Amino acid sequence: MSWTKGGAKLQLKIGHLYPDLLDLYSDRGNVIILEKRAHWRGLQVTVDQISVGHEPRLADYDILVMGGGMDREQGIVAEDLQQRRENLQEAVDAGTVIVAICGGYQLLGHYFETSTGQRIPGLGILDIVTVGAKVRMVGNVVGEMDIAGVKHNIIGYENHSGKTMLGPNATPMMRVIKGYGNSGEDKFEGVRQGNIFGTYLHGPLLAKNPILADHMIELALRRRDLSVHLDILNDDLEHRTNAKLYKRLVEAK
């Protein structure tokens, strides 16, 4: 389709939240993938870095990305996010796509309770709670996710000690085929709540799963135009790589 409107290119505005504090396992790679795949389709893309002391209106962004971090950095972010709760809720209500990885995922929930019993309040935007476990859940993950009515194999990497439980208003992002996922018990990974995608998968996730990146871009553009459908890119190499990883991780004895 044409990516111009009134002679001007359609725009995609991405906000990268706390890139200086939350960037475990190259989580910033997710921002790069979103930017590149939009550029390759002729979209005009703007990426802003938003950290402590920056106070833009978050509803002005089409996509917000937040990664994971160490305990100290997550504590700084948790305190700062409390000051942004209404700002972020406004973005949620406006249909902004939010991608929250690991610690970012946990901080959007009701609370995180450490293994010693300390309860750190979250924003309560996601209907989840997280409790610290004594054993870390580490390794490659393969899941099955429904994207626009079609099931796709999603591949990523997890490293977390928090066990996340979903409430009635949150839907699992995918079913776990290999790995731990949210808790290591319910065989679900991540959460999908409206246009929010919360997940423990690093990798970066969107480099390994471009179909998911495109889904997020399309949802973001549809905030303004429901008729938007992305042009198809030549992803033969990406599809072969995904299939090879699936075979190595799931089918290999």
Side-chain angles (χ1 to χ4, degrees):
M1 66 171 292
S2 171
W3 294 108
T4 60
K5 204 168 197 177
K9 282 188 177 181
L10 287 182
Q11 296 187 358
L12 183 73
K13 192 172 183 180
I14 301 172
H16 188 181
L17 296 173
Y18 308 104
D20 53 334
L21 296 169
L22 303 180
D23 187 35
L24 279 181
Y25 308 111
S26 300
D27 285 334
R28 71 177 63 238
N30 292 310
V31 176
I32 295 171
I33 294 300
L34 291 167
E35 180 183 12
K36 291 297 184 182
R37 293 187 69 81
H39 267 312
W40 291 338
R41 292 178 165 97
L43 290 161
Q44 182 175 321
V45 186
T46 301
V47 178
D48 291 340
Q49 297 188 351
I50 304 167
S51 194
V52 177
H54 304 149
E55 297 294 336
R57 180 174 180 266
L58 298 180
D60 291 338
Y61 291 90
D62 301 301
I63 303 178
L64 294 170
V65 181
M66 182 164 57
M70 302 298 287
D71 289 347
R72 176 183 175 277
E73 285 76 14
Q74 279 191 215
I76 295 170
V77 171
E79 184 176 346
D80 190 69
L81 276 176
Q82 291 296 329
Q83 310 304 314
R84 298 183 193 264
R85 194 199 181 287
E86 291 185 7
N87 194 355
L88 190 58
Q89 183 63 59
E90 183 184 1
V92 172
D93 295 341
T96 295
V97 173
I98 298 176
V99 187
I101 310 291
C102 200
Y105 169 33
Q106 296 170 347
L107 291 173
L108 294 185
H110 297 299
Y111 62 82
F112 176 89
E113 186 173 297
T114 69
S115 58
T116 60
Q118 179 188 5
R119 183 168 290 191
I120 301 170
L123 295 186
I125 288 175
L126 285 177
D127 189 17
I128 63 171
V129 297
T130 303
V131 177
K134 295 181 179 178
V135 178
R136 294 195 71 82
M137 291 169 270
V138 183
N140 292 302
V141 178
V142 179
E144 183 182 73
M145 180 176 178
D146 185 296
I147 299 176
V150 179
K151 295 187 185 304
H152 293 273
N153 294 325
I154 302 296
I155 295 171
Y157 177 83
E158 64 183 338
N159 186 345
H160 58 104
S161 60
K163 300 176 71 170
T164 295
M165 283 70 73
L166 276 57
N169 294 321
T171 301
M173 186 167 156
M174 66 189 80
R175 180 179 66 86
V176 173
I177 297 173
K178 177 182 175 61
Y180 295 97
N182 285 326
S183 66
E185 299 170 2
D186 60 13
K187 305 305 291 183
F188 292 122
E189 205 294 313
V191 65
R192 173 75 188 276
Q193 188 172 313
N195 275 0
I196 306 175
F197 297 82
T199 177
Y200 278 114
L201 300 190
H202 301 278
L205 172 65
L206 301 184
K208 294 181 177 179
N209 306 282
I211 186 69
L212 181 55
D214 287 352
H215 182 54
M216 292 171 176
I217 293 170
E218 196 165 81
L219 287 173
L221 293 173
R222 286 181 180 177
R223 290 205 312 158
R224 297 187 295 274
D225 186 348
L226 291 175
S227 68
V228 166
H229 292 281
L230 294 183
D231 295 333
I232 296 174
L233 298 177
N234 183 352
D235 287 331
D236 288 347
L237 177 60
E238 289 84 348
H239 294 325
R240 292 200 305 270
T241 301
N242 186 285
K244 187 174 182 178
L245 285 170
Y246 180 90
K247 187 172 184 178
R248 180 189 300 170
L249 297 173
V250 177
E251 298 178 1
K253 295 183 180 179

